[in-house]
Amino acid sequence: MTAGGKAGYAVIVALVLGTLGAAQARTVAVGGVAQAPAVDSRPLAGGEALAVWTLPRLGVSVRNDPRDLRLLYGTRELRYAPGGSGQGGGWRAVGLRVPAGLAAPQSVNGSLYVSLAALRALGVRVLGETPGVLDFAAPAVVPAATLPPSPDLAAAAPVPALVTPTPAPASPTPGAPPAVLSTVRVGRELHRSVEVQRVVLELSAPAAYTVTRDRAGLSVNLAGVTATPVTQTLGSGDTLTLTPGGGGVAMRLTTGGGNSEVFTLDDPARVVIDTTTQLDARVPPPIDPGALPPGVTYRNRGELHLLSFDPALYQPRVVSAPAGRALGLPALVGSVRGVAGVNGGYFDPATALPVDLVVSGGLMTASSLEKRATVGFTAAGATLVGYPRPRYVLSGPFGSVTVNTVGPRTRPELLTAFVGDGQTVIGADGLTTLYLSPGAGTVAAALVGRVTPKAGTLALTFDPARYPQLPRVAGATLKAALAWRAEDASWDSAQDALSAGPLLVQGGQVALNPAREQFNTSAGIWRATRQVALGTLNGQPTIAYFGHGTPEAFAAALAASGVRDAVRMDSGSSAAAYVTGGYGNLGGYLNTVWGQNVPNAVVFVPRTLPTASKAP
């Protein structure tokens, strides 16, 4: 079930569900960082419990299905299916024994909960407990993918595609009347261009059902249930029909292409259909503030929207499309399995090549104009802002020499560096190209003429007559390093960097100086438009999106919101900020207008924490 559906459901059925044990719930922290209130534990009949959808932030991979629940932590797994043990139901374990008396999962307000005892059995580490806080160890990896169906259940009971069976309810009391579908509740929410609809079928007793899907919608067949015939057009425009028959009730819901999830709730018995529909593909779907990845914080101040990232959980990285290509922001984020991203620096629309500094993983792929503001990141997660002027410097027994330029274009009078992509041809007749592997101190290969360096290889092309001191054989000593030549900050440990500008905020104060960065304030680049920036807020790297305004208005809004440092990225038609997940897993955007494809972006990638950092 989508988090958007859960949020909507809390409103729709507030009259039929009470809050369970809210006074005794505990705040959940991960690595000492308190999570959102929606993640709080709940005291249930089987003991203190956590919602299954929150468990990936503890490092647990899940299949959040009440008919086939899976919890995987390392090599240890717990599985649960309703029904008696003789029918393959109850708890099952892989790599451990099922703890005696382990409570069954429970559904509360549309969320499936499992007991803390199940997590302890899996080996999930609790760092500390107080009456108000339950603190778990930060995971090495935050799982993103949903687990497939349990292999044992799939082998035991294969089902046809498009048809989802549910377990039969408990045997009715002899002579008891059949279950009655007494009430249909419908709720609908609009989030920009995304509609979230919930249909709740209230039953007098549990009933088995099957779901059949097609392009127009879905049908839910409730066995042994009686109801009054109904045909109703919902506020969304969908049509709901109830048709009683000899074997039960058939409910038909046309969804107009929406994505639907079906699940059950107890006490009272209900079948719930959540449908998420993107009503207008011309409008980017919004983020779901209630279902952001763990460690991501959203703030809104009018036109200003801010997404901050816990540096202990995420590493900002500069990610580029293949040379000469531009990609959509989701593609750039997905290429490194990131959770969010913002478009990068300025580029030439005709060639899709960046026009200013790009450094990724310690390799400079585009040289600096040496005048524009730059944002950079260290491997430890620190964010740097300033005006570095990096160059490659080659050193060996001969001394040192500075590389003139970076790029695929070969000029005989210059010493040129290029980071290979496995496709681009460089070099020329009479010129020598040396290959260096990142971090190596010797020449990997020395070639003459036109060559195609492999991806990630640093290639240095030169005329031997102009640079006789440089080696021309494989195995010769040669080191390449970035000399950042910065006066405003210590950039020596930077691994990634991107120049754009202008510098908007520094030290919490507006810092605009277009003359210093040689921006023409009468040109279109300075017009009022949608704007994006990358900076820091409360010590966390932060994406900022401004709906409409000038750089001056953007800078003022950032400073007023508490942003300490910020550099504007390419704005206007390129401006975009994207987060994975969202309503119906459509992805979420801060921008309300689609951004064009771009050659690079700053992407936030889940980091692998050192083992030592997880010790209590």
Side-chain angles (χ1 to χ4, degrees):
M1 179 175 53
T2 64
K6 291 193 291 287
Y9 184 63
V11 175
I12 297 164
V13 297
L15 296 178
V16 297
L17 285 178
T19 302
L20 299 180
Q24 302 174 39
R26 286 200 281 181
T27 296
V28 171
V30 179
V33 179
Q35 305 297 291
V39 184
D40 288 357
S41 69
R42 279 180 176 267
L44 301 178
E48 187 175 13
L50 276 73
V52 173
W53 64 270
T54 70
L55 300 185
R57 68 188 67 199
L58 307 182
V60 181
S61 300
V62 304
R63 176 175 178 80
N64 191 2
D65 184 342
R67 300 174 300 277
D68 178 19
L69 172 68
R70 295 186 63 187
L71 309 174
L72 176 64
Y73 189 73
T75 60
R76 301 160 71 90
E77 181 179 357
L78 287 171
R79 302 173 184 169
Y80 184 87
S85 58
Q87 292 77 42
W91 284 107
R92 305 172 324 279
V94 177
L96 73 158
R97 292 184 178 180
V98 177
L102 185 61
Q106 299 181 58
S107 292
V108 179
N109 288 352
S111 291
L112 192 63
Y113 280 76
V114 293
S115 68
L116 182 58
L119 301 181
R120 293 186 189 276
L122 287 171
V124 178
R125 296 178 57 204
V126 179
L127 296 181
E129 295 187 62
T130 69
V133 179
L134 184 61
D135 188 12
F136 291 91
V141 177
V142 177
T146 297
L147 293 174
S150 296
D152 49 356
L153 288 185
V159 297
L162 302 180
V163 178
T164 305
T166 61
S171 299
T173 303
V180 178
L181 200 171
S182 58
T183 305
V184 177
R185 300 181 183 273
V186 181
R188 176 173 177 256
E189 295 179 346
L190 288 176
H191 305 277
R192 196 185 292 168
S193 62
V194 177
E195 174 189 76
V196 178
Q197 175 182 268
R198 171 162 287 192
V199 174
V200 181
L201 309 178
E202 290 199 358
L203 305 170
S204 61
Y209 68 90
T210 59
V211 180
T212 305
R213 303 175 186 272
D214 53 50
R215 292 184 178 181
L218 73 161
S219 298
V220 178
N221 295 293
L222 298 151
V225 175
T226 64
T228 302
V230 170
T231 298
Q232 180 181 358
T233 299
L234 308 182
S236 61
D238 296 352
T239 301
L240 185 150
T241 303
L242 295 179
T243 305
V249 173
M251 188 226 68
R252 174 65 183 174
L253 182 65
T254 61
T255 60
N259 179 35
S260 297
E261 295 186 46
V262 183
F263 56 96
T264 58
L265 295 173
D266 301 323
D267 206 17
R270 283 152 291 164
V271 175
V272 183
I273 304 100
D274 278 347
T275 303
T276 305
T277 306
Q278 188 173 10
L279 301 177
D280 188 347
R282 297 170 299 178
V283 180
I287 68 167
D288 181 356
L292 292 171
V296 180
T297 304
Y298 170 70
R299 300 173 178 86
N300 174 229
R301 305 289 187 272
E303 290 279 354
L304 181 64
H305 302 261
L306 302 167
L307 279 174
S308 299
F309 299 82
D310 183 347
L313 298 181
Y314 300 100
Q315 174 66 38
R317 289 176 52 185
V318 174
V319 177
S320 296
R325 291 183 57 191
L327 296 176
L329 192 52
L332 291 170
V333 171
S335 69
V336 290
R337 298 184 178 182
V339 301
V342 62
N343 64 281
Y346 303 111
F347 63 98
D348 178 5
T351 63
L353 293 175
V355 298
D356 211 335
L357 176 68
V358 178
V359 177
S360 181
L363 292 174
M364 181 165 56
T365 58
S367 56
S368 172
L369 296 175
E370 301 188 0
K371 62 184 179 182
R372 298 276 165 81
T374 301
V375 62
F377 311 101
T378 69
T383 301
L384 306 171
V385 170
Y387 297 92
R389 297 172 293 120
R391 294 278 194 93
Y392 279 118
V393 175
L394 308 181
S395 60
F398 58 86
S400 63
V401 61
T402 300
V403 175
N404 300 112
T405 188
V406 174
R409 181 184 176 189
T410 300
R411 296 173 59 180
E413 72 276 17
L414 300 178
L415 171 55
T416 303
F418 175 71
V419 178
D421 59 8
Q423 301 178 3
T424 303
V425 178
I426 63 171
D429 292 343
L431 300 184
T432 296
T433 298
L434 306 179
Y435 287 173
L436 293 181
S437 299
T442 58
V443 175
L447 307 169
V448 176
R450 296 172 65 80
V451 297
T452 306
K454 293 182 179 179
T457 298
L458 178 60
L460 303 161
T461 302
F462 61 96
D463 181 351
R466 291 179 178 270
Y467 294 92
Q469 71 272 45
L470 292 179
R472 282 177 280 172
V473 295
T477 300
L478 187 65
K479 295 182 179 179
L482 277 180
W484 286 92
R485 303 189 302 156
E487 300 176 356
D488 45 33
S490 177
W491 284 76
D492 292 344
S493 58
Q495 290 292 305
D496 293 74
L498 200 63
S499 291
L503 179 65
L504 298 169
V505 177
Q506 190 168 37
Q509 303 296 319
V510 173
L512 273 175
N513 188 345
R516 173 179 180 173
E517 300 185 39
Q518 299 180 30
F519 279 107
N520 181 357
T521 57
S522 62
I525 197 170
W526 211 261
R527 72 188 186 281
T529 184
R530 56 188 187 274
Q531 314 256 356
V532 288
L534 203 293
T536 58
L537 175 63
N538 298 332
Q540 296 188 334
T542 297
I543 294 172
Y545 177 81
F546 198 59
H548 184 81
T550 62
E552 289 87 352
F554 191 17
L558 289 168
S561 69
V563 169
R564 178 173 176 78
D565 303 289
V567 174
R568 187 177 86 154
M569 300 289 100
D570 187 9
S571 293
S573 60
S574 298
Y578 166 79
V579 184
T580 55
Y583 299 106
N585 206 33
L586 293 169
Y589 296 79
L590 296 182
N591 45 298
T592 58
V593 178
W594 288 110
Q596 65 177 332
N597 290 352
V598 293
N600 52 55
V602 176
V603 177
F604 289 84
V605 181
R607 66 164 64 245
T608 300
L609 298 177
T611 303
S613 70
K614 298 191 292 178

